[in-house]
Amino acid sequence: MPITPTTNGGLELLCDSKKIHNVNIEQQNGEGKLIMKDLLSWVRTNLIKERPEMFMKGDTVRPGVLVLVNDCDWELSGQLDTSLEEKDVVVFISTLHGG
Amino acid sequence: MSASEILRELDSLKDAKAKIEHKISALEAQLREINLRNDAAPTNGSSHPSSYPTNGLTQDMIHRYSRHLMLPSFGVEGQANLLKSSILVVGAGGLGASALLYFAAAGVGRLGIVDHDVVELNNMHRQVIHTEAYVGKPKVKSAGAACRSVNSSIEVVEHQEALRTSNALEILSKYDIIVDATDNAPTRYLISDCCVVLGKPLVSGAALGMEGQLTVYNYKGGPCYRCLFPLPPPRTACQSCAEGGVLGVVPGIIGCLQALEAIKIAAAVGEPLSGRMLLLDALSGRIRIVKIRGRSTHCEACGENATFTQQKFREFDYEKFTETPLRVPPLKLNLLPSESRISSKEYSEIVLKKEPHVLVDVRPAHHFKIVSLPKSLNIPLSTLEGRLPEISSALKKEEKDSGLVSGSGGGAQLYVVCRRGNDSQRAVQCLQKMGFTSAKDIVGGLESWAYNVDPKFPTY
């Protein structure tokens, strides 16, 4: 399934400074469904090259990271259970504090 | 006149100028007070309420704000609301700089500025409100003077102090709208909680590197900062502009957008960016506006069962909560025993005596390009483990060039340097583990070199 995970707000530094990743992910179960939980572990295994603790804590993202599925906070779509569809854009963004 | 005489004369003139400016602003404030108390006081005439029906605007106001007044979606009502409003900007840095200038220009009735810092030369590429004459002087003084010079008809209030739980309630309660233009996590939680406790809308902006973020918290039932970020990020995830760098115009843009949002709220026009967040990626030229969660029923500050009171706010330890000190002193690690360290002075003697050695600079490559010590070898800390053979061959070459016999115990020494002396210790720990047992780091890094050995060495 073609998906575009995007890392911003400094998280790109964990993935060789690459922000936009056009990837194709195999469905995780027989039903052909992909949920955010699957994508998260796929990103952690395949895109995160260093300091994974700066990306995840437990089975979810670390505090201070916003997850947006098609420009919408994943809190509004079920967090880890959010179903993904082809060509969805998933943004992982670290909150900034500078000024 | 000699250069030193000119410098002395300049200093005394600047001092006299500052005193006069202070006197002027004190007199202006006094005059405003008198005018407020006594509407009939004779002034230049045009700042009186007009005898024609004008919605309370004076002749001067109508002229100054005419381009606002002609906007059908803003108009006299919007401007009158703005003139009656008060806005507090916390932080007169990169974000505050542009926001403050627009607030002053737009005619915000009372404009407050909170900052404890002084203007530094390395602020000026982004903090465009400050001028060279104010380097070394308090930012609130500099920003206050700039705002008054843009618009002498508004009231500008300087709060020259750091925002703390002990003073925040008192300061914030005097304003209608709060603008978070600060640069650290604990202050952001502190401001948000204080706004929740006082029921004030918060226009929050942040910028770092090439990216910026903007949203409005605690506005008409919308989420607060804690709804979005109930737990603080790890300290290592919070880079500052001083550590990570920032393109000057990026906080400038976010500061302008903060001004826009606060002006909309103050004037009661349009749709403030509440429940939405603007994300700016300046390098790729992309702006995203995303929908964020609403007020969280479980939020500790503003949720249904929240018990966050003024008393609780005063007692809350934000430094402990975020594991970040409010005034961030540069981190000073002490990982190595003293025999594994040398001072920058000692290293300068080694160079003078031409003692055979290799100096490894473990800063990132783009830092190394700014400035470096002669003959240093750049191997960034992140790549160190994979590049040990380069160090071995550099040591061998140095021994050969200086006629030393390798492995005899009197071989070339290995020294490690970085910007401030933290990464160099991490590097020496790693090197010692990998067999370079005599590796030493230079205490305090290149900053110490500039401070203790050669003041002409450029620091950044």
Side-chain angles (χ1 to χ4, degrees):
Chain A
M1 184 192 285
I3 295 267
T4 310
T6 305
T7 42
N8 280 83
L11 291 179
E12 69 280 7
L13 299 174
L14 309 176
C15 334
D16 291 335
S17 298
K18 208 174 149 194
K19 286 184 173 172
I20 299 173
H21 312 264
N22 288 307
V23 297
N24 212 328
I25 300 174
E26 295 281 312
Q27 268 81 348
Q28 303 290 305
N29 54 35
E31 293 157 41
K33 251 181 71 180
L34 186 73
I35 60 170
M36 273 305 298
K37 193 174 184 330
D38 308 324
L39 180 71
L40 212 54
S41 64
W42 190 93
V43 168
R44 188 194 152 141
T45 314
N46 297 280
L47 298 182
I48 303 294
K49 303 284 159 61
E50 56 179 285
R51 292 177 287 157
E53 73 280 6
M54 283 291 105
F55 180 63
M56 283 183 77
K57 190 174 177 187
D59 63 350
T60 189
V61 291
R62 71 151 166 85
V65 172
L66 284 180
V67 183
L68 308 158
V69 181
N70 298 325
D71 288 346
C72 197
D73 191 343
W74 75 338
E75 285 279 330
L76 301 169
S77 56
Q79 285 190 326
L80 289 165
D81 296 322
T82 308
S83 297
L84 294 172
E85 288 174 22
E86 280 196 11
K87 295 184 184 161
D88 276 350
V89 175
V90 180
V91 177
F92 300 98
I93 187 160
S94 175
T95 174
L96 305 176
H97 302 96
Chain B
M1 257 206 259
S2 73
S4 65
E5 282 170 328
I6 293 175
L7 282 173
R8 221 174 304 130
E9 181 70 12
L10 273 174
D11 273 346
S12 94
L13 285 172
K14 278 179 190 165
D15 203 42
K17 184 178 159 211
K19 276 183 188 139
I20 291 172
E21 273 172 355
H22 187 77
K23 222 168 167 180
I24 290 174
S25 62
L27 284 171
E28 280 172 348
Q30 222 178 319
L31 185 64
R32 262 196 309 270
E33 285 280 304
I34 293 168
N35 284 346
L36 276 179
R37 250 183 283 137
N38 181 8
D39 268 347
T43 57
N44 59 15
S46 55
S47 58
H48 276 282
S50 173
S51 51
Y52 298 98
T54 59
N55 253 312
L57 299 192
T58 63
Q59 187 184 1
D60 272 353
M61 287 170 178
I62 289 172
H63 191 53
R64 181 188 277 267
Y65 305 117
S66 57
R67 271 55 173 172
H68 277 174
L69 306 180
M70 290 187 292
L71 280 171
S73 53
F74 197 82
V76 171
E77 293 83 7
Q79 188 64 46
N81 288 339
L82 200 54
L83 287 162
K84 274 182 256 152
S85 75
S86 54
I87 297 180
L88 179 73
V89 178
V90 188
L95 298 165
S98 51
L100 281 164
L101 289 172
Y102 275 101
F103 286 142
V108 170
R110 189 156 42 83
L111 183 54
I113 314 166
V114 184
D115 205 303
H116 65 273
D117 222 350
V118 295
V119 180
E120 289 182 66
L121 191 63
N122 60 14
N123 297 152
M124 299 197 62
H125 80 292
R126 65 186 191 282
Q127 302 179 9
V128 292
I129 199 168
H130 307 302
T131 53
E132 287 180 2
Y134 279 94
V135 170
K137 302 215 167 71
K139 285 185 183 177
V140 285
K141 296 267 172 234
S142 168
C147 289
R148 284 185 203 98
S149 70
V150 169
N151 191 345
S152 60
S153 71
I154 62 162
E155 187 188 349
V156 178
V157 186
E158 299 168 6
H159 303 274
Q160 194 187 325
E161 53 197 316
L163 206 62
R164 305 218 170 262
T165 48
S166 53
N167 62 7
L169 287 163
E170 198 204 329
I171 297 175
L172 267 64
S173 63
K174 292 179 194 146
Y175 297 86
D176 303 329
I177 301 164
I178 313 301
V179 173
D180 185 344
T182 62
D183 60 0
N184 63 80
T187 311
R188 288 183 182 275
Y189 279 101
L190 185 157
I191 293 172
S192 176
D193 290 349
C194 194
C195 284
V196 169
V197 167
L198 295 171
K200 311 268 181 190
L202 170 62
V203 180
S204 179
L208 184 72
M210 298 284 193
E211 291 187 49
Q213 299 170 352
L214 169 84
T215 189
V216 175
Y217 291 117
N218 201 42
Y219 179 75
K220 293 192 177 167
C224 78
Y225 190 63
R226 269 188 204 261
C227 295
L228 228 62
F229 305 109
L231 294 172
R235 188 183 171 185
T236 41
C238 303
Q239 273 206 325
S240 69
C241 295
E243 294 156 3
V246 61
L247 191 74
V249 64
V250 174
I253 292 166
I254 299 296
C256 284
L257 289 168
Q258 286 182 281
L260 173 64
E261 291 306 315
I263 286 170
K264 274 157 55 183
I265 296 171
V269 301
E271 299 167 57
L273 199 74
S274 166
R276 295 179 292 156
M277 183 180 275
L278 182 146
L279 309 170
L280 165 70
D281 181 345
L283 204 55
S284 64
R286 284 194 180 87
I287 293 179
R288 254 178 221 283
I289 292 168
V290 301
K291 192 170 173 354
I292 53 175
R293 69 200 74 170
R295 175 158 289 187
S296 160
T297 48
H298 313 295
C299 178
E300 264 189 60
C302 73
E304 271 166 15
N305 302 316
T307 54
F308 214 92
T309 58
Q310 297 205 4
Q311 187 56 35
K312 196 169 169 203
F313 171 78
R314 272 195 210 96
E315 289 161 4
F316 197 89
D317 189 339
Y318 288 90
E319 299 184 308
K320 204 171 139 201
F321 175 62
T322 57
E323 293 171 13
T324 310
L326 277 165
R327 298 207 59 177
V328 188
L331 186 66
K332 267 206 163 122
L333 292 177
N334 209 348
L335 304 174
L336 301 174
S338 56
E339 60 268 24
S340 290
R341 316 199 69 185
I342 62 167
S343 71
S344 54
K345 268 235 145 64
E346 286 169 314
Y347 179 71
S348 72
E349 280 153 26
I350 288 164
V351 174
L352 269 180
K353 289 187 202 146
K354 297 200 167 104
E355 287 179 24
H357 73 277
V358 168
L359 178 65
V360 173
D361 185 328
V362 293
R363 291 176 298 155
H366 66 283
H367 282 231
F368 188 76
K369 273 187 205 158
I370 301 171
V371 63
S372 61
L373 285 176
K375 294 210 297 188
S376 51
L377 175 64
N378 183 217
I379 302 183
L381 182 61
S382 59
T383 66
L384 185 63
E385 279 190 56
R387 294 177 64 181
L388 297 175
E390 285 175 56
I391 298 177
S392 304
S393 54
L395 284 167
K396 278 200 192 97
K397 186 174 180 300
E398 177 75 6
E399 282 158 5
K400 201 175 146 216
D401 291 353
S402 50
L404 287 176
V405 187
S406 170
S408 64
Q413 292 297 306
L414 176 59
Y415 301 109
V416 182
V417 73
C418 65
R419 184 181 176 197
R420 290 182 172 142
N422 292 324
D423 277 353
S424 59
Q425 296 182 62
R426 295 186 177 107
V428 165
Q429 276 191 328
C430 167
L431 285 166
Q432 292 186 343
K433 244 183 257 162
M434 306 305 281
F436 296 87
T437 48
S438 65
K440 290 180 182 166
D441 95 304
I442 297 178
V443 178
L446 295 171
E447 283 195 353
S448 165
W449 179 271
Y451 193 76
N452 297 309
V453 178
D454 183 4
K456 289 206 185 80
F457 187 84
T459 52
Y460 59 93

